[in-house]
Amino acid sequence: MEMEALPNGNSAGPTTPATGAAAAGAAPAPSSKLTQLAESLKLEHQFLRVPFEHYKKTIRANHRIIEKEMSAVISGVSDAADGDFSQDDAVQHLSSLVSRLQGLKRKLEEGSRVEHLQAQRCRARLDHLESADADNLSEWNSTRLKRILVDYMLRMSYYETAMKLAESSNVQELVDIEVFNEAKKVIDALQNKDVAPALAWCADNKSRLKKSKSKFEFQLRLQEFIELVRAENNLRAITYARKYLAPWGATHMKELQRVMATLAFKSGTECLTYKVLFEPKQWDYLVDQFKQEFCKLYGMTFEPLLNIYLQAGLSALKTPFCYEVDCTKEDPLSQESFRKLASPLPFSKQHHSKLVCYITKELMDTENPPLVLPNGYVYSTKALEEMARKNHGRITCPRTGLVCNYSDVVKAYIS
């Protein structure tokens, strides 16, 4: 017999002992885990922003295609209505318009398919964030670590490795491989001294770049002008400047004047002001500039997420002692790579000294006080008591090999 449901969703029947036991056994999640989870979710802005921006970009591109094609078709129909066509010409003209509309239909179907996939990706990421709770926090953090590693590899141009890691970890929907592949085409072209893909990217995102007052397209145009001067093709360089550089004159006159002077100084000049414009590192500057504009456009951080997370941890560990010669090898900042990453960070403010046991890696405090061996080395009470219990009251220093009795150690006091 079915029990009538109450308004609050509970059954009207009595609670069985099994149900009561289950309810009593369901312990609430520790508050520390819930706090950790809440803080973790605050860092996921980029995780949602990137696919959403990519989705919006696809919608805008499809909208532009529709407007362009429909405008052309309407204009063609108007010409057919107003023009004096023969029957055969009119049929041919209308057939071409029908073919154009059929092509538009195919483009719209493909665009709709892409939009649907990108909407699914947004939905998958929302579901992933909603699935995070205190019970599966360890598994969720493991997935996040893999996402961060894929992000780092993509930014460092390890595309194939990133794809393999994403596939093996089943996180393809949670990483931005497709977005970074778009950037890869432009970066590869710039490294090969080709600005065409970068200019096409600027044209696709013209309104948003203009809104952010970006100079990237102007820098590309300047570099293309410099390459014409380097090739001693001055007439083409002047024609190019009139067409593509003159519109920037109102806002970038000083830079234009400097670049135009290269027509007189040539690529072999020793004048430092103009010599630097012909150096190969200008292409590296354009790559860096593109990466910044690309990240800004998609709402990404300029630094890889892995660096940001590592710096957050290193900021708590960085002290002047970390840079001394006798810094313990267990300190991450004893390694040069971590020191370089921590170089822009301030030193951690420590009001009181903290002693960490060499054996257990636990903090030594009033609850677990430090004990001093006859050779001067200090370890925690918990570690030495455990060692003495297993070795009949004998203690062996793990760093020097000294053997002594537990009664020989002296308690130290932290001030």
Side-chain angles (χ1 to χ4, degrees):
M1 182 176 67
E2 294 184 0
M3 304 301 295
E4 183 182 356
L6 296 175
N8 64 0
N10 295 327
S11 172
T15 304
T16 62
T19 306
S31 59
S32 59
K33 279 192 173 184
L34 292 175
T35 303
Q36 182 183 352
L37 178 60
E39 293 299 318
S40 296
L41 291 176
K42 288 179 182 178
L43 303 173
E44 298 297 344
H45 173 75
Q46 174 179 310
F47 182 62
L48 292 177
R49 174 82 182 272
V50 174
F52 182 64
E53 290 295 338
H54 198 206
Y55 183 36
K56 288 200 301 182
K57 182 183 176 183
T58 302
I59 292 173
R60 286 195 297 268
N62 290 339
H63 184 66
R64 283 197 298 269
I65 291 172
I66 294 171
E67 284 188 333
K68 180 181 176 182
E69 293 294 326
M70 289 305 297
S71 177
V73 170
I74 292 170
S75 177
V77 171
S78 179
D79 290 343
D82 298 337
D84 186 15
F85 289 102
S86 66
Q87 184 177 353
D88 291 341
D89 290 342
V91 169
Q92 186 177 359
H93 184 71
L94 292 173
S95 296
S96 67
L97 293 178
V98 169
S99 298
R100 189 159 192 167
L101 286 171
Q102 289 173 341
L104 175 60
K105 182 184 176 184
R106 287 192 294 271
K107 289 179 182 178
L108 289 177
E109 288 172 349
E110 176 62 20
S112 177
R113 186 187 66 82
V114 174
E115 284 181 20
H116 180 67
L117 289 174
Q118 291 177 354
Q120 280 184 325
R121 185 172 288 116
C122 293
R123 181 71 259 177
R125 297 195 181 193
L126 284 170
D127 292 341
H128 176 68
L129 292 182
E130 288 176 353
S131 69
D133 57 44
D135 295 330
N136 70 344
L137 187 59
S138 177
E139 181 183 349
W140 195 85
N141 281 335
S142 175
T143 302
R144 182 173 62 169
L145 175 60
K146 290 167 185 173
R147 289 196 284 113
I148 292 170
L149 290 174
V150 172
D151 173 83
Y152 181 81
M153 292 173 185
L154 290 170
R155 289 174 186 260
M156 297 295 108
S157 301
Y158 303 131
Y159 297 101
E160 291 185 8
T161 307
M163 290 175 67
K164 287 180 180 178
L165 176 58
E167 289 172 5
S168 63
S169 305
N170 196 28
V171 293
Q172 296 97 318
E173 293 287 335
L174 307 180
V175 292
D176 303 306
I177 293 176
E178 186 179 343
V179 174
F180 278 98
N181 276 334
E182 175 189 334
K184 180 180 183 295
K185 296 173 185 176
V186 177
I187 292 170
D188 289 347
L190 289 175
Q191 289 173 340
N192 291 323
K193 298 181 172 55
D194 179 13
V195 299
L199 288 172
W201 182 82
C202 289
D204 289 341
N205 301 281
K206 188 172 184 178
S207 61
R208 300 194 63 195
L209 291 174
K210 185 178 180 180
K211 188 182 294 185
S212 65
K213 298 181 180 178
S214 170
K215 291 172 56 179
F216 182 55
E217 183 181 354
F218 176 63
Q219 298 293 344
L220 292 171
R221 297 294 184 187
L222 290 183
Q223 190 61 40
E224 201 159 28
F225 176 84
I226 288 293
E227 295 305 314
L228 290 172
V229 175
R230 191 199 305 276
E232 298 186 357
N233 200 335
N234 289 355
L235 286 177
R236 278 191 63 194
I238 292 169
T239 303
Y240 184 89
R242 286 173 178 167
K243 184 175 180 180
Y244 296 110
L245 297 182
W248 297 87
T251 52
H252 300 86
M253 181 54 73
K254 286 187 178 180
E255 291 158 283
L256 275 178
Q257 289 173 338
R258 181 187 175 202
V259 170
M260 292 303 295
T262 58
L263 289 167
F265 282 87
K266 308 295 183 183
S267 59
T269 181
E270 291 301 318
C271 181
L272 191 60
T273 304
Y274 305 105
K275 182 180 180 180
V276 69
L277 296 174
F278 292 98
E279 291 181 353
K281 68 179 182 182
Q282 292 296 321
W283 289 99
D284 297 331
Y285 169 75
L286 286 177
V287 171
D288 292 339
Q289 184 79 3
F290 169 73
K291 287 179 179 179
Q292 288 189 22
E293 295 294 343
F294 185 82
C295 290
K296 191 186 299 183
L297 197 71
Y298 281 102
M300 298 180 185
T301 57
F302 295 151
E303 284 284 319
L305 290 174
L306 182 62
N307 287 6
I308 293 172
Y309 280 92
L310 286 174
Q311 285 179 327
L314 292 174
S315 65
L317 300 174
K318 184 179 177 182
T319 62
F321 178 74
C322 297
Y323 291 85
E324 295 182 7
V325 178
D326 56 347
C327 174
T328 173
K329 297 300 180 184
E330 293 176 343
D331 188 337
L333 285 163
S334 64
Q335 301 180 35
E336 190 58 37
S337 56
F338 283 118
R339 286 181 176 180
K340 185 177 179 181
L341 195 60
S343 59
L345 303 175
F347 286 110
S348 175
K349 188 175 182 180
Q350 303 288 347
H351 294 285
H352 302 285
S353 298
K354 292 181 180 179
L355 298 179
V356 178
C357 178
Y358 179 84
I359 300 173
T360 64
K361 313 304 180 190
E362 293 180 3
L363 194 67
M364 291 185 279
D365 52 20
T366 54
E367 301 296 326
N368 186 27
L371 299 177
V372 185
L373 269 61
N375 62 1
Y377 282 93
V378 179
Y379 304 98
S380 69
T381 299
K382 187 185 294 186
L384 296 185
E385 284 181 348
E386 179 69 16
M387 188 183 296
R389 186 179 62 80
K390 292 180 178 179
N391 296 285
H392 308 289
R394 306 286 288 174
I395 293 171
T396 303
C397 178
R399 285 182 279 192
T400 65
L402 172 75
V403 180
C404 65
N405 294 319
Y406 183 74
S407 58
D408 296 332
V409 302
V410 179
K411 186 175 180 180
Y413 295 89
I414 303 173
S415 59

